[in-house]
Amino acid sequence: MTGTINYTTLNHAMDTWMREKNIHISLSNGTGLTRLFTAVRDIEFYVRMKPKEYAPDLAWTINNNKGGCGTKHQLAWTILRQKGFETTYSYSSFYWHELNVDMPPEIRTLAKGLLPTRHLALYVGYKGETRKVDLTWDSALERAGFPINKAVKGIFTERPAVPTLDDYNYNNEVLFSYKPGIPDLNRRNAFYTAFNGWLESLRAK
């Protein structure tokens, strides 16, 4: 999807995706909530290196079953807000090389020269409680030590996906203008390419 944002097409894509995943969510349906979280979590984590726009990137994520923490949580946020849930963004930053996972040494070395990266998750209100929801890593990555959140007795666990440097709440899209500095684009793109490739190899095992 390029050019003018077509929200009608985006809403149709989200509705189709929810039907395919058998997600029926309402303020009174906790099972539907955990089913949504599980489905979004298991969209394959993938870093896109091209410039993004909010709605087109969401459509790409739905159509390709791939996305980063930004588009995955934007998808969950959009659906939850449409269904009447109180939800805000949790916005933080982290260093890739500080991920506590079994990352190959050569990829971690690439990451050590990068600036902090933004991280997006959600705070979701349900039945009088607010819980942090982080759906970043798909379950296939657990074998390499990635922290995977799961439904336990109907409640989604709250393990942080990354070692955050800070944490802020946002109710709108102001965070999407975040620019941490001028990155070394060649090094960043080399890292993202290597990181994406490594994740694909984990899923193939």
Side-chain angles (χ1 to χ4, degrees):
M1 183 185 299
T2 58
T4 302
I5 295 174
N6 187 331
Y7 285 99
T8 300
T9 300
L10 176 60
N11 287 334
H12 175 72
M14 288 192 297
D15 289 343
T16 300
W17 180 81
M18 290 179 68
R19 285 196 302 272
E20 290 174 349
K21 300 296 182 181
N22 194 28
I23 298 170
H24 305 282
I25 184 173
S26 69
L27 288 173
S28 61
N29 186 355
T31 302
L33 198 60
T34 55
R35 189 182 292 272
L36 171 67
F37 292 163
T38 300
V40 173
R41 180 201 67 196
D42 283 340
I43 293 172
E44 295 180 357
F45 183 87
Y46 179 84
V47 184
R48 292 185 75 194
M49 288 171 278
K50 63 182 293 186
K52 305 171 183 178
E53 292 180 79
Y54 171 65
D57 207 52
L58 271 185
W60 187 92
T61 288
I62 293 169
N63 292 333
N64 292 277
N65 194 46
K66 293 179 182 290
C69 62
T71 50
K72 291 175 70 167
H73 289 101
Q74 288 163 25
L75 175 60
W77 182 90
T78 302
I79 292 170
L80 289 167
R81 297 285 286 195
Q82 288 180 348
K83 301 299 182 180
F85 286 83
E86 289 295 325
T87 180
T88 58
Y89 288 117
S90 164
Y91 165 58
S92 58
S93 56
F94 72 101
Y95 286 104
W96 283 105
H97 70 271
E98 292 183 349
L99 288 179
N100 187 24
V101 298
D102 297 330
M103 190 185 301
E106 65 276 14
I107 299 179
R108 195 177 296 275
T109 297
L110 275 175
K112 285 182 178 178
L114 300 179
L115 292 168
T117 299
R118 71 180 183 189
H119 177 64
L120 199 65
L122 297 177
Y123 287 103
V124 179
Y126 180 63
K127 292 187 175 181
E129 295 185 1
T130 299
R131 299 184 64 87
K132 189 168 185 177
V133 177
D134 198 322
L135 311 171
T136 300
W137 310 118
D138 52 285
S139 55
L141 306 179
E142 190 169 23
R143 59 173 55 90
F146 285 88
I148 310 299
N149 284 308
K150 306 174 183 179
V152 177
K153 296 182 179 180
I155 302 295
F156 230 70
T157 55
E158 298 181 81
R159 300 178 67 189
V162 299
T164 56
L165 302 172
D166 43 39
D167 194 357
Y168 304 97
N169 294 351
Y170 286 85
N171 283 303
N172 54 44
E173 295 170 32
V174 65
L175 67 133
F176 301 124
S177 64
Y178 167 74
K179 293 179 175 60
I182 301 174
D184 179 339
L185 293 180
N186 290 334
R187 189 182 189 95
R188 187 196 68 179
N189 290 346
F191 167 72
Y192 286 162
T193 298
F195 190 75
N196 285 336
W198 173 50
L199 300 189
E200 286 298 324
S201 71
L202 291 174
R203 297 185 188 105
K205 290 182 178 178

